[in-house]
Amino acid sequence: MKFSLDRIAIMSSAGDVNYQEMLQHVSVFGNHTKELNPSKTIIFSENRIGWVYAFYSVWQNRSIAVPVDATATVSDLEYIVRDCTPECMWVSEACEKVAREVVSHLDFDVKILIINEVEKEDIKGSDFDTSTLDQTSYDDNAIALIIYTSGTTGSPKGVMLTYKNLWTNKAGVCDEVPVFNGKRRTLMLLPVHHVLPLMGTVVAPILQGDGIVICESMQGPDIMEALCRGKVGIFVGVPRLWQMLYAGIMKKVNASFVTRALFNLCMKVHSLKFSRFIFAAVHKKMGGHLDYCVCGGAPLDKEVGEGLSALGFHLLEGYGMTEMAPIIAFTRPGDYICGCAGLPLPSVDCKVVNGELCCKGNNLMKGYYNRPEETAEVIDADGYLHTGDLGYLDEKGRVYITGRTKEIIVLSNGKNVQPNEIEYKLEKFENRVKEAAVIQNGDMLMGIIVPNEAWSRNLSDEEVEIALKKEVIEPYNLTVTNYKKLMSIYVYRGELPRTKLDKLQRFKLKDLLKRNRVADELANKVESIKSKVEADDEMSNEMRIIKEYIESEKKVVVHVDDHLETDLAFDSLDKVGLQGFIEQTFGVELQPEMMTTLRSVAEKVEQGKTHVDVSKIDWHDMLLANNSSLELPSTSLFYPLHSKLFKSFLKLNNRLKIVGENNVPKKGPFIIAPNHQSYLDGAIVVSGLSTKTLKNTYFYATEEHVKHPVLKFMAKRNNVILMEKRNLKNSILKLSEVLKQGKNVIIFPEGSRSFDGDMVPFKKTFAILSKELNVPVIPVCIRGAYGVLPRGSRWIKPKKIEVEYLKPVMPENGDTYDSISDKVKGSIAEKLRN
């Protein structure tokens, strides 16, 4: 041992214990099982000081430790016991009843020993064995642990970890990177039947001589008390724990203009010392000795990571798996990058195969217990573990995880959705949402939402659902691209299925939904049908007319309280169509933001109608109508000059290559439809246009890009037609007027810049204009711009850009808006693939 026996090893509610006393307790525990000479020993208990004694006594007797979740049910525990066939079990009083019922079902003997009773035994004069804490006294290749995976995707498997596996991890964080240095006490908080908290809060800190502080409660005041009492230097947590801590601190920060301004200043300064000085009071409340906040188990949201750093917390984010005991990579002190898992352990070799991270090293498991075929499925012939995680390595070898292959939702349009990104955004509405899960529902996304209990306690599920749609889903949907919108939700009054490290057990969500929906349907079917029939029977004439219009357009059954967006999947163009229908039929001008439910729309129509003249909305008639009174932007003399200057810059800085100019007609009207990768795309797409064509070409841009008064002034004088969310119809009519005057428009069909360089679904505005006005569409393929100026970047990188004007797509007889859109998108996609 590198440390003295009188040093404090464990601090807990039961008292402080030094290393000699701990080893004496371990020997007492070990004597209770020595005669059995067990090959495997289960530890079935909540976190407590006796858990640590029991664990090290198993190792002292050279038995294999099998930690089990203290909340395991009879069936859970029985599955593990039958799988690994232990000779004995260390069990706390709280878990004894479950353990004894399991043993009563078995056809082999398992001895039960009660931790609470042996904790109290007198250790005076007891022998102790210092070799228990000496790594060299163990056979490196012997199995030290069987950890049963948490079961996020199905039945748990027993992961066999050797002492060599564990010592490799310990060396990485104790010797090669001295996070544990013999002086920093660690908080034992997370359930230690998982390998991350077992290694990080029991094995490494005790064997290194740091010592631990046991906090037996997950309540905030208890955690703070333990941090202060134990002068804790290392706090190991999971993302949801850090998220809650951050949210709690930020409530107080945001309550004052001064603290909010200081926080914003710290975000810009990026100095840990400066942030610790500014927020010294926060650190003092947490004991004042906290050197490292370790996050593992799942990726930490970027906002939380950056925010905690700005508050002065030194984050170390890790990535690992039970199969790697567990560390694959972790961020080194002073090299924290939000969203990055850091460098691999020095002994770990990482590579990416078809987008999947694969790794091998001395910490790779021996295999799954009694499952050689499943072991062979994840460890290839070259000894690499296939993690199932998508990721990449940067130029310095740092690991970035972008998603999990089994969690990704793949929609029919080919877009990949990471549900955890959406779930985090929903859970930020903490006054309404306790927790959320996102699943695929047909070709759309659905949210299972557990409402905030204090808010929803006295509300019916229907009232909660209506409120959530209005106060959570609508605001969220306004901030994301179409394919990430939630089009339906399910209110669930319960706890979502999670592992003890707070990972969602996604494979259980559909069963949970199905089970609860069946119960809901049995309970509510008659009442629901009755209420809907009664509501439909009470429909006014106006409501019935609008209902029939929506049903004919969307090909679904509509009820009076259906929400246009979340129940009926209305997009912005659907709202424009409804807007035109209502204006034409009832003489009422209704703005899109006023359109929520069928009932609310009908009520506004009933109040404002001037006539009733039912006729289906016709885009053709709407666009060909005389709209010459509309005010169009003017063309500045500097517009072509600015474009040519920027073109020169792109040629010098980015080796801009222009291809296919001959596909651009000499005269208009025509629509240019490019893919959208960066802020530079506007300048790129006009780079191949002649000065004459440029003067007659108008951009279609969203209001968000020109919020500043100066930018609005410039837009009006530089051929920019703004997409007005409050009056989208007016914006589309302006586009049609430009085309009818023989001029051209540039429309980015994706609507917003790409998040990853890939295309997102096309909006149909350009296709409607093309078909109804019979004008060609020029697809434009932009390559390289995403790498030059991606989202979040402020600097233009000197990488190559290419723009190619493709063959025009002319609307033909029989073409629909969708078919035109598909032709244009397919043309661009084919070029991007080549």
Side-chain angles (χ1 to χ4, degrees):
M1 296 195 309
K2 303 176 184 177
F3 40 86
S4 62
L5 291 172
D6 59 0
R7 179 174 172 78
I8 296 294
I10 308 171
M11 299 177 71
S12 75
S13 59
D16 298 346
V17 174
N18 64 29
Y19 272 90
Q20 177 174 319
E21 292 165 334
M22 184 194 83
L23 287 171
Q24 287 175 307
H25 279 289
V26 168
S27 291
V28 168
F29 270 70
N31 289 335
H32 281 271
T33 60
K34 188 177 291 184
E35 291 181 4
L36 292 171
N37 191 26
S39 61
K40 293 177 288 294
T41 304
I42 280 180
I43 306 174
F44 182 39
S45 164
E46 69 281 3
N47 285 11
R48 58 186 300 124
I49 197 166
W51 197 105
V52 181
Y53 299 154
F55 175 76
Y56 279 107
S57 76
V58 174
W59 276 8
Q60 182 174 278
N61 288 338
R62 299 307 188 260
S63 178
I64 299 170
V66 186
V68 176
D69 181 2
T71 63
T73 63
V74 170
S75 60
D76 293 334
L77 179 61
E78 186 169 342
Y79 172 89
I80 293 172
V81 172
R82 289 188 180 279
D83 191 61
C84 72
T85 60
E87 288 80 8
C88 55
M89 276 196 279
W90 280 110
V91 176
S92 68
E93 286 180 353
C95 298
E96 183 180 0
K97 183 179 179 182
V98 171
R100 293 204 181 278
E101 184 171 346
V102 168
V103 169
S104 71
H105 299 163
L106 303 176
D107 54 3
F108 57 92
D109 293 332
V110 178
K111 183 174 182 180
I112 292 177
L113 303 108
I114 307 303
I115 290 175
N116 307 56
E117 295 174 359
V118 184
E119 276 179 348
K120 299 171 186 174
E121 290 187 14
D122 189 4
I123 61 169
K124 287 181 181 177
S126 297
D127 294 332
F128 58 92
D129 186 356
T130 57
S131 70
T132 303
L133 304 182
D134 182 1
Q135 294 172 210
T136 62
S137 69
Y138 294 91
D139 176 0
D140 278 356
N141 296 315
I143 298 171
L145 293 169
I146 296 179
I147 298 279
Y148 278 83
T149 55
S150 53
T152 57
T153 56
S155 297
K157 296 185 286 289
V159 177
M160 297 183 290
L161 300 174
T162 66
Y163 288 104
K164 185 176 184 179
N165 296 155
L166 305 183
W167 303 157
T168 300
N169 271 268
K170 178 181 172 294
V173 294
C174 295
D175 305 327
E176 290 145 357
V177 182
V179 176
F180 300 92
N181 63 356
K183 300 176 183 177
R184 298 185 180 107
R185 223 170 260 131
T186 299
L187 186 69
M188 177 181 164
L189 176 68
L190 301 176
V192 287
H193 65 279
H194 285 286
V195 71
L196 166 66
L198 176 54
M199 278 299 296
T201 67
V202 176
V203 176
I206 285 182
L207 265 58
Q208 191 68 5
D210 294 75
I212 63 174
V213 180
I214 300 176
C215 181
E216 294 158 2
S217 161
M218 294 289 282
Q219 299 300 314
D222 295 330
I223 294 173
M224 292 299 178
E225 189 276 333
L227 289 170
C228 294
R229 174 171 52 86
K231 297 180 180 179
V232 170
I234 300 173
F235 185 175
V236 180
V238 290
R240 283 174 66 83
L241 181 62
W242 296 120
Q243 184 179 325
M244 287 187 286
L245 175 67
Y246 175 66
I249 295 173
M250 289 307 295
K251 273 186 181 179
K252 296 179 180 178
V253 169
N254 290 326
S256 162
F257 170 79
V258 174
T259 50
R260 191 162 61 249
L262 288 171
F263 176 79
N264 291 334
L265 177 63
C266 290
M267 286 285 284
K268 293 178 180 178
V269 171
H270 294 298
S271 167
L272 202 64
K273 286 185 178 179
F274 180 73
S275 294
R276 283 186 179 239
F277 171 74
I278 294 295
F279 292 103
V282 173
H283 291 269
K284 187 176 180 181
K285 286 183 179 179
M286 298 180 71
H289 291 79
L290 198 55
D291 289 332
Y292 296 123
C293 297
V294 179
C295 181
L300 183 65
D301 186 84
K302 187 176 181 181
E303 178 190 335
V304 177
E306 290 179 344
L308 287 171
S309 295
L311 291 167
F313 292 99
H314 197 157
L315 284 166
L316 299 180
E317 192 168 355
Y319 162 67
M321 296 178 67
T322 304
E323 289 83 346
M324 292 294 284
I327 303 173
I328 294 172
F330 68 100
T331 52
R332 305 306 196 255
D335 188 36
Y336 177 72
I337 302 171
C338 288
C340 174
L343 291 166
L345 277 180
S347 63
V348 172
D349 178 24
C350 290
K351 66 178 181 178
V352 176
V353 179
N354 297 324
E356 180 185 14
L357 187 72
C358 301
C359 52
K360 69 176 179 179
N362 291 331
N363 54 335
L364 177 57
M365 68 173 178
K366 194 177 184 94
Y368 295 123
Y369 184 71
N370 281 340
R371 299 195 184 191
E373 291 180 0
E374 292 186 42
T375 301
E377 286 175 6
V378 296
I379 301 177
D380 64 25
D382 295 324
Y384 280 91
L385 174 73
H386 288 249
T387 65
D389 290 314
L390 300 173
Y392 64 93
L393 307 175
D394 69 10
E395 65 280 358
K396 292 189 177 179
R398 300 187 191 94
V399 175
Y400 289 78
I401 302 300
T402 57
R404 183 147 184 83
T405 55
K406 293 181 181 178
E407 292 184 359
I408 289 176
I409 296 172
V410 182
L411 301 174
S412 64
N413 57 23
K415 297 309 296 180
N416 293 340
V417 178
Q418 282 293 345
N420 61 302
E421 294 178 8
I422 300 174
E423 290 155 1
Y424 173 70
K425 290 181 179 179
L426 295 176
E427 288 172 2
K428 289 180 72 175
F429 295 88
E430 56 186 29
N431 291 333
R432 294 290 179 265
V433 179
K434 180 183 177 184
E435 55 179 334
V438 174
I439 63 172
Q440 187 170 1
N441 184 28
D443 195 33
M444 298 181 291
L445 298 178
M446 177 183 194
I448 301 174
I449 295 181
V450 179
N452 178 299
E453 189 176 352
W455 163 68
S456 63
R457 188 179 296 117
N458 298 319
L459 299 176
S460 68
D461 285 358
E462 186 177 358
E463 289 171 326
V464 170
E465 183 176 341
I466 291 170
L468 287 173
K469 285 177 179 178
K470 184 175 181 60
E471 299 174 33
V472 176
I473 304 304
E474 282 186 22
Y476 161 76
N477 280 350
L478 288 172
T479 66
V480 297
T481 189
N482 278 341
Y483 73 91
K484 290 186 178 180
K485 287 185 177 182
L486 289 179
M487 306 313 288
S488 62
I489 64 170
Y490 177 77
V491 176
Y492 178 59
R493 309 258 191 176
E495 298 289 333
L496 294 179
R498 293 182 181 275
T499 71
K500 289 301 175 180
L501 291 188
D502 256 339
K503 291 182 183 178
L504 264 177
Q505 293 178 302
R506 296 189 185 277
F507 73 100
K508 293 183 178 180
L509 291 176
K510 288 193 176 180
D511 285 341
L512 175 150
L513 188 64
K514 182 179 179 181
R515 186 169 61 251
N516 282 276
R517 277 186 158 174
V518 168
D520 288 349
E521 285 171 12
L522 290 173
N524 301 326
K525 192 172 183 180
V526 174
E527 188 62 34
S528 174
I529 292 173
K530 181 182 175 183
S531 64
K532 284 186 175 181
V533 168
E534 287 175 352
D536 289 353
D537 284 345
E538 295 172 2
M539 280 186 183
S540 64
N541 186 46
E542 292 80 9
M543 189 181 292
R544 195 175 300 280
I545 291 169
I546 299 169
K547 173 181 181 289
E548 288 172 357
Y549 164 78
I550 295 173
E551 287 180 336
S552 68
E553 290 293 310
K554 300 297 290 183
K555 306 295 186 290
V556 294
V557 176
V558 178
H559 297 288
V560 296
D561 289 311
D562 283 348
H563 192 282
L564 298 188
E565 192 168 273
T566 56
D567 290 324
L568 303 175
F570 259 57
D571 61 19
S572 54
L573 277 178
D574 291 327
K575 287 188 177 182
V576 171
L578 180 57
Q579 183 185 18
F581 172 77
I582 288 172
E583 186 175 336
Q584 187 173 302
T585 307
F586 303 105
V588 177
E589 289 189 14
L590 201 60
Q591 298 307 318
E593 69 268 18
M594 300 167 70
M595 300 178 182
T596 52
T597 63
L598 170 59
R599 186 189 295 276
S600 68
V601 170
E603 287 173 352
K604 291 178 176 66
V605 168
E606 289 166 24
Q607 293 167 8
K609 68 178 180 179
T610 60
H611 63 268
V612 179
D613 180 14
V614 180
S615 58
K616 192 171 181 179
I617 184 67
D618 191 324
W619 280 107
H620 186 76
D621 291 344
M622 183 191 295
L623 297 178
L624 287 176
N626 185 0
N627 295 300
S628 56
S629 61
L630 291 171
E631 182 184 354
L632 299 176
S634 57
T635 304
S636 164
L637 294 173
F638 295 104
Y639 173 40
L641 177 62
H642 291 156
S643 298
K644 298 302 177 186
L645 287 173
F646 213 91
K647 175 182 175 181
S648 299
F649 167 77
L650 292 174
K651 285 206 166 191
L652 287 171
N653 189 68
N654 301 98
R655 295 166 289 152
L656 175 65
K657 181 180 180 182
I658 304 169
V659 180
E661 297 104 314
N662 59 324
N663 285 323
V664 180
K666 300 297 181 186
K667 292 183 179 179
F670 55 81
I671 299 168
I672 293 177
N675 59 312
H676 203 359
Q677 294 190 337
S678 77
Y679 267 133
L680 298 176
D681 292 347
I684 294 169
V685 77
V686 300
S687 61
L689 303 183
S690 67
T691 301
K692 182 179 178 181
T693 301
L694 192 57
K695 287 180 179 178
N696 290 313
T697 301
Y698 290 72
F699 275 98
Y700 186 43
T702 60
E703 289 178 303
E704 284 81 358
H705 289 145
V706 287
K707 285 182 178 178
H708 195 279
V710 174
L711 292 177
K712 283 187 177 180
F713 176 83
M714 294 289 289
K716 284 185 177 181
R717 286 155 182 78
N718 285 275
N719 288 22
V720 178
I721 295 172
L722 294 181
M723 186 185 80
E724 306 166 47
K725 285 190 176 178
R726 290 179 173 272
N727 197 347
L728 185 58
K729 176 186 171 185
N730 196 52
S731 306
I732 294 174
L733 292 178
K734 286 182 181 181
L735 291 171
S736 71
E737 192 60 30
V738 165
L739 292 167
K740 286 188 292 185
Q741 291 178 14
K743 298 178 182 179
N744 322 305
V745 295
I746 296 173
I747 301 177
F748 289 96
E750 294 165 279
S752 62
R753 289 167 294 142
S754 170
F755 283 86
D756 54 11
D758 293 334
M759 286 193 293
V760 300
F762 277 20
K763 300 180 187 300
K764 291 182 285 191
T765 305
F766 80 98
I768 293 172
L769 291 166
S770 172
K771 177 175 172 58
E772 303 304 345
L773 300 179
N774 197 38
V775 297
V777 180
I778 317 301
V780 179
C781 178
I782 297 174
R783 289 193 195 90
Y786 177 76
V788 172
L789 191 66
R791 280 178 177 267
S793 178
R794 298 180 181 179
W795 306 106
I796 299 175
K797 299 179 178 67
K799 296 182 179 180
K800 186 178 179 180
I801 298 174
E802 180 179 312
V803 58
E804 183 172 358
Y805 303 89
L806 308 176
K807 289 183 179 180
V809 173
M810 191 71 195
E812 300 173 350
N813 289 336
D815 263 336
T816 64
Y817 306 145
D818 285 330
S819 67
I820 294 171
S821 178
D822 290 343
K823 286 179 186 178
V824 173
K825 185 180 180 184
S827 178
I828 297 171
E830 184 178 354
K831 282 293 176 183
L832 284 173
R833 284 195 296 266
N834 295 336

